[in-house]
Protein backbone atom coordinates (compact mmCIF):
# COMPACT_ATOMS: atom_id res chain seq x y z
CA UNK A 1 0.00 0.00 0.00
CA UNK A 2 1.36 3.40 -0.94
CA UNK A 3 0.71 6.05 1.71
CA UNK A 4 0.32 9.64 0.57
CA UNK A 5 0.01 12.58 2.95
CA UNK A 6 -1.84 15.66 1.70
CA UNK A 7 -0.45 18.53 3.73
CA UNK A 8 0.05 22.27 3.92
CA UNK A 9 0.18 24.18 7.19
CA UNK A 10 -1.93 26.98 5.68
CA UNK A 11 -5.67 26.58 6.05
CA UNK A 12 -8.15 27.00 3.22
CA UNK A 13 -5.85 25.84 0.42
CA UNK A 14 -7.95 22.88 -0.69
CA UNK A 15 -6.36 19.99 1.22
CA UNK A 16 -9.61 18.28 2.14
CA UNK A 17 -11.24 18.92 -1.24
CA UNK A 18 -8.15 17.43 -2.87
CA UNK A 19 -8.12 14.43 -0.53
CA UNK A 20 -11.80 13.62 -1.11
CA UNK A 21 -11.82 14.00 -4.87
CA UNK A 22 -8.43 12.44 -5.51
CA UNK A 23 -9.45 9.44 -3.38
CA UNK A 24 -12.68 9.13 -5.38
CA UNK A 25 -10.86 9.37 -8.70
CA UNK A 26 -8.31 6.74 -7.66
CA UNK A 27 -11.09 4.41 -6.46
CA UNK A 28 -12.77 4.82 -9.86
CA UNK A 29 -9.67 3.29 -11.48
CA UNK A 30 -10.24 0.06 -9.54
CA UNK A 31 -7.82 0.71 -6.68
CA UNK A 32 -8.87 -0.01 -3.11
CA UNK A 33 -8.42 3.36 -1.41
CA UNK A 34 -8.28 4.23 2.29
CA UNK A 35 -8.80 7.86 3.35
CA UNK A 36 -7.46 8.84 6.78
CA UNK A 37 -9.10 11.96 8.21
CA UNK A 38 -6.44 13.42 10.49
CA UNK A 39 -8.05 16.85 10.91
CA UNK A 40 -10.07 17.35 14.14
CA UNK A 41 -12.58 19.40 12.14
CA UNK A 42 -13.58 16.16 10.40
CA UNK A 43 -14.36 17.86 7.11
CA UNK A 44 -13.16 14.96 4.98
CA UNK A 45 -15.52 12.65 6.88
CA UNK A 46 -18.44 15.02 6.40
CA UNK A 47 -17.60 15.64 2.77
CA UNK A 48 -17.59 11.92 2.01
CA UNK A 49 -20.99 11.43 3.67
CA UNK A 50 -20.12 10.10 7.15
CA UNK A 51 -22.44 11.80 9.65
CA UNK A 52 -21.02 12.78 13.04
CA UNK A 53 -23.30 10.32 14.85
CA UNK A 54 -22.06 7.47 12.67
CA UNK A 55 -18.41 7.87 13.65
CA UNK A 56 -18.24 5.14 16.30
CA UNK A 57 -14.49 4.70 15.85
CA UNK A 58 -12.15 7.43 14.65
CA UNK A 59 -8.55 8.44 14.12
CA UNK A 60 -8.48 9.39 17.81
CA UNK A 61 -9.09 5.75 18.75
CA UNK A 62 -6.47 4.70 16.20
CA UNK A 63 -3.72 7.01 17.48
CA UNK A 64 -4.37 7.49 21.19
CA UNK A 65 -6.06 4.21 22.18
CA UNK A 66 -4.20 2.19 19.54
CA UNK A 67 -7.29 0.34 18.40
CA UNK A 68 -6.71 -2.00 15.44
CA UNK A 69 -7.08 -0.29 12.09
CA UNK A 70 -9.71 -2.80 10.99
CA UNK A 71 -11.99 -1.67 13.83
CA UNK A 72 -11.70 2.01 12.88
CA UNK A 73 -12.37 1.76 9.14
CA UNK A 74 -15.81 2.74 7.83
CA UNK A 75 -17.11 2.04 4.33
CA UNK A 76 -18.44 4.90 2.19
CA UNK A 77 -21.02 5.13 -0.55
CA UNK A 78 -18.15 5.31 -3.06
CA UNK A 79 -17.23 1.82 -4.33
CA UNK A 80 -13.64 0.96 -3.42
CA UNK A 81 -13.24 3.84 -0.96
CA UNK A 82 -13.05 3.40 2.82
CA UNK A 83 -12.35 6.00 5.50
CA UNK A 84 -11.11 6.30 9.05
CA UNK A 85 -13.20 9.33 10.12
CA UNK A 86 -12.25 12.07 12.56
CA UNK A 87 -14.12 13.51 15.50
CA UNK A 88 -13.52 16.57 17.66
CA UNK A 89 -11.81 14.25 20.19
CA UNK A 90 -8.79 14.32 17.91
CA UNK A 91 -8.12 17.93 18.95
CA UNK A 92 -6.88 16.58 22.29
CA UNK A 93 -4.53 14.05 20.73
CA UNK A 94 -1.71 16.59 20.31
CA UNK A 95 -1.57 17.04 24.09
CA UNK A 96 -2.22 13.42 25.04
CA UNK A 97 0.54 12.08 22.80
CA UNK A 98 3.25 14.48 23.93
CA UNK A 99 4.47 12.23 26.74
CA UNK A 100 3.95 8.97 24.83
CA UNK A 101 6.90 6.92 23.62
CA UNK A 102 7.26 6.80 19.82
CA UNK A 103 4.56 9.45 19.55
CA UNK A 104 5.50 10.30 15.96
CA UNK A 105 5.20 6.68 14.82
CA UNK A 106 1.65 5.92 16.01
CA UNK A 107 0.03 6.24 12.57
CA UNK A 108 2.82 4.32 10.82
CA UNK A 109 2.40 1.45 13.25
CA UNK A 110 -1.38 1.44 12.76
CA UNK A 111 -1.17 1.39 8.97
CA UNK A 112 1.39 -1.42 8.95
CA UNK A 113 -1.42 -3.91 9.60
CA UNK A 114 -3.42 -2.92 6.49
CA UNK A 115 -3.54 -5.61 3.83
CA UNK A 116 -6.74 -4.69 2.02
CA UNK A 117 -5.98 -1.34 0.37
CA UNK A 118 -3.74 -0.27 -2.50
CA UNK A 119 -3.48 3.43 -1.69
CA UNK A 120 -3.90 5.41 1.52
CA UNK A 121 -4.48 9.18 1.45
CA UNK A 122 -3.97 11.11 4.69
CA UNK A 123 -5.81 14.43 5.02
CA UNK A 124 -3.71 16.53 7.42
CA UNK A 125 -4.78 19.44 9.65
CA UNK A 126 -3.67 23.01 8.81
CA UNK A 127 -0.62 22.97 11.08
CA UNK A 128 2.80 21.39 11.42
CA UNK A 129 2.02 19.83 14.79
CA UNK A 130 2.14 16.26 16.03
CA UNK A 131 -0.76 15.03 13.89
CA UNK A 132 0.85 16.22 10.67
CA UNK A 133 4.19 14.87 11.89
CA UNK A 134 2.56 11.45 12.34
CA UNK A 135 1.28 11.65 8.78
CA UNK A 136 4.69 12.57 7.37
CA UNK A 137 6.37 9.78 9.33
CA UNK A 138 3.82 7.26 8.04
CA UNK A 139 3.80 8.43 4.42
CA UNK A 140 5.80 7.26 1.44
CA UNK A 141 5.16 10.51 -0.36
CA UNK A 142 3.65 13.97 0.07
CA UNK A 143 1.23 15.89 -2.12
CA UNK A 144 1.08 19.63 -1.42
CA UNK A 145 -2.01 21.63 -2.43
CA UNK A 146 -0.88 25.23 -2.97
CA UNK A 147 -3.32 28.12 -3.26
CA UNK A 148 -2.45 30.62 -5.99
CA UNK A 149 -1.97 33.61 -3.71
CA UNK A 150 0.82 35.99 -2.69
CA UNK A 151 2.00 34.20 0.48
CA UNK A 152 2.01 30.72 -1.08
CA UNK A 153 5.74 30.38 -1.61
CA UNK A 154 6.58 31.57 1.90
CA UNK A 155 4.38 28.89 3.44
CA UNK A 156 5.69 26.27 1.04
CA UNK A 157 9.26 27.02 2.09
CA UNK A 158 8.37 26.34 5.74
CA UNK A 159 6.67 23.05 4.82
CA UNK A 160 9.65 21.88 2.75
CA UNK A 161 11.98 22.61 5.68
CA UNK A 162 9.76 20.45 7.90
CA UNK A 163 9.83 17.65 5.32
CA UNK A 164 13.63 17.83 5.27
CA UNK A 165 13.78 17.50 9.06
CA UNK A 166 11.38 14.54 8.97
CA UNK A 167 13.56 12.88 6.34
CA UNK A 168 16.65 13.38 8.48
CA UNK A 169 15.19 12.24 11.81
CA UNK A 170 12.21 9.93 11.24
CA UNK A 171 11.45 8.91 7.66
CA UNK A 172 14.33 8.98 5.17
CA UNK A 173 12.11 7.40 2.50
CA UNK A 174 9.62 10.30 2.45
CA UNK A 175 9.38 11.88 -1.00
CA UNK A 176 7.27 14.60 -2.59
CA UNK A 177 5.07 13.40 -5.43
CA UNK A 178 4.14 16.92 -6.44
CA UNK A 179 2.60 20.33 -5.81
CA UNK A 180 -0.98 20.92 -6.97
CA UNK A 181 -2.02 24.51 -7.70
CA UNK A 182 -5.51 25.13 -6.31
CA UNK A 183 -8.13 27.91 -6.43
CA UNK A 184 -6.78 28.99 -9.81
CA UNK A 185 -8.63 31.99 -11.27
CA UNK A 186 -7.61 32.86 -14.82
CA UNK A 187 -9.34 36.25 -14.52
CA UNK A 188 -6.88 37.28 -11.81
CA UNK A 189 -3.46 38.36 -13.03
CA UNK A 190 -1.93 37.65 -9.61
CA UNK A 191 -2.94 34.00 -9.96
CA UNK A 192 -0.89 33.66 -13.13
CA UNK A 193 2.07 35.41 -11.51
CA UNK A 194 2.05 33.11 -8.48
CA UNK A 195 1.71 30.03 -10.69
CA UNK A 196 4.64 31.20 -12.82
CA UNK A 197 6.75 31.83 -9.69
CA UNK A 198 5.98 28.39 -8.28
CA UNK A 199 6.80 26.67 -11.56
CA UNK A 200 10.04 28.61 -11.94
CA UNK A 201 11.11 27.59 -8.42
CA UNK A 202 9.98 23.97 -8.41
CA UNK A 203 9.89 23.07 -12.10
CA UNK A 204 8.50 19.61 -12.91
CA UNK A 205 7.54 19.02 -9.27
CA UNK A 206 4.43 21.14 -9.99
CA UNK A 207 1.57 19.22 -11.59
CA UNK A 208 0.42 20.45 -14.99
CA UNK A 209 -3.21 20.10 -13.89
CA UNK A 210 -4.51 23.11 -11.95
CA UNK A 211 -7.63 23.13 -9.81
CA UNK A 212 -9.86 26.11 -10.64
CA UNK A 213 -12.10 28.10 -8.35
CA UNK A 214 -15.40 26.32 -8.94
CA UNK A 215 -18.74 26.69 -7.19
CA UNK A 216 -19.59 22.99 -7.63
CA UNK A 217 -16.47 22.04 -5.66
CA UNK A 218 -17.74 24.24 -2.83
CA UNK A 219 -21.31 22.91 -2.98
CA UNK A 220 -20.50 19.20 -3.03
CA UNK A 221 -19.47 18.74 0.66
CA UNK A 222 -22.81 20.10 1.89
CA UNK A 223 -24.42 17.13 0.11
CA UNK A 224 -21.94 14.65 1.61
CA UNK A 225 -20.58 13.86 -1.84
CA UNK A 226 -17.28 14.29 -3.67
CA UNK A 227 -17.57 16.76 -6.53
CA UNK A 228 -16.80 13.89 -8.90
CA UNK A 229 -20.10 12.30 -7.87
CA UNK A 230 -22.07 15.52 -7.28
CA UNK A 231 -21.27 16.92 -10.73
CA UNK A 232 -18.95 14.74 -12.76
CA UNK A 233 -18.77 17.18 -15.67
CA UNK A 234 -18.00 20.42 -13.82
CA UNK A 235 -14.63 22.13 -14.31
CA UNK A 236 -13.45 21.17 -10.83
CA UNK A 237 -14.24 17.48 -11.33
CA UNK A 238 -12.49 17.41 -14.69
CA UNK A 239 -9.44 19.03 -13.08
CA UNK A 240 -9.27 16.41 -10.32
CA UNK A 241 -9.61 13.58 -12.85
CA UNK A 242 -6.66 15.08 -14.74
CA UNK A 243 -4.70 15.42 -11.48
CA UNK A 244 -5.41 11.77 -10.61
CA UNK A 245 -3.98 10.72 -13.98
CA UNK A 246 -0.80 12.66 -13.23
CA UNK A 247 -0.55 11.21 -9.73
CA UNK A 248 -0.89 7.66 -11.09
CA UNK A 249 1.76 8.46 -13.70
CA UNK A 250 4.20 9.50 -10.97
CA UNK A 251 3.74 6.41 -8.80
CA UNK A 252 6.55 3.85 -8.98
CA UNK A 253 5.88 1.10 -11.54
CA UNK A 254 5.70 -1.50 -8.77
CA UNK A 255 2.91 0.49 -7.12
CA UNK A 256 0.92 0.87 -10.34
CA UNK A 257 0.98 -2.88 -10.83
CA UNK A 258 -0.24 -3.54 -7.30
Amino acid sequence: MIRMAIANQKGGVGKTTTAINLATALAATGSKVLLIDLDPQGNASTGIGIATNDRERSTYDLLVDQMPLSECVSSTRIPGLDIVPATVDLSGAEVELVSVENRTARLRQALSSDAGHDICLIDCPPSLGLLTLNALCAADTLLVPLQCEFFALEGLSQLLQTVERVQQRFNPDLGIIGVALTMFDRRNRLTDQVADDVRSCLGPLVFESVIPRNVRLSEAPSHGLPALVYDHSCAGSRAYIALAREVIGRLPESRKAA
Side-chain angles (χ1 to χ4, degrees), residues 35 48-50 74-83:
L35 178 59
I48 211 75
I50 307 296
S74 299
S75 58
T76 74
R77 67 183 79 181
I78 311 301
L81 175 58
D82 296 326
I83 186 172

Side-chain angles (χ1 to χ4, degrees), residues 24 29 37 69 83 98 107 112 119 141 176 198 202 210-211 221:
T24 302
T29 68
D37 190 350
L69 178 65
I83 186 172
V98 164
L107 184 59
S112 65
I119 302 174
T141 191
I176 301 177
V198 174
L202 300 177
V210 296
I211 310 302

Side-chain angles (χ1 to χ4, degrees), residues 109-131:
Q109 293 167 355
L111 293 179
S112 65
S113 65
D114 188 291
H117 297 92
D118 302 311
I119 302 174
C120 173
L121 301 184
I122 308 169
D123 183 31
C124 297
S127 72
L128 294 177
L130 194 51
L131 293 176

Side-chain angles (χ1 to χ4, degrees), residues 107-181:
L107 184 59
R108 179 169 57 195
Q109 293 167 355
L111 293 179
S112 65
S113 65
D114 188 291
H117 297 92
D118 302 311
I119 302 174
C120 173
L121 301 184
I122 308 169
D123 183 31
C124 297
S127 72
L128 294 177
L130 194 51
L131 293 176
T132 298
L133 191 56
N134 258 271
L136 295 179
C137 290
D140 302 305
T141 191
L142 169 68
L143 188 151
V144 183
L146 190 69
Q147 184 180 2
C148 295
E149 63 155 31
F150 182 72
F151 292 114
L153 282 177
E154 182 178 288
L156 180 62
S157 175
Q158 186 179 355
L159 177 61
L160 295 180
Q161 289 173 9
T162 299
V163 170
E164 187 175 347
R165 287 195 292 269
V166 170
Q167 289 170 328
Q168 292 171 350
R169 295 187 58 190
F170 304 111
N171 185 5
D173 297 326
L174 178 64
I176 301 177
I177 195 168
V179 175
L181 298 176

Side-chain angles (χ1 to χ4, degrees), residues 6 14-24 35 44 121-123 240:
I6 300 177
K15 287 188 299 295
T16 298
T17 300
T18 297
I20 290 172
N21 288 289
L22 185 57
T24 302
L35 178 59
L121 301 184
I122 308 169
D123 183 31
Y240 274 115

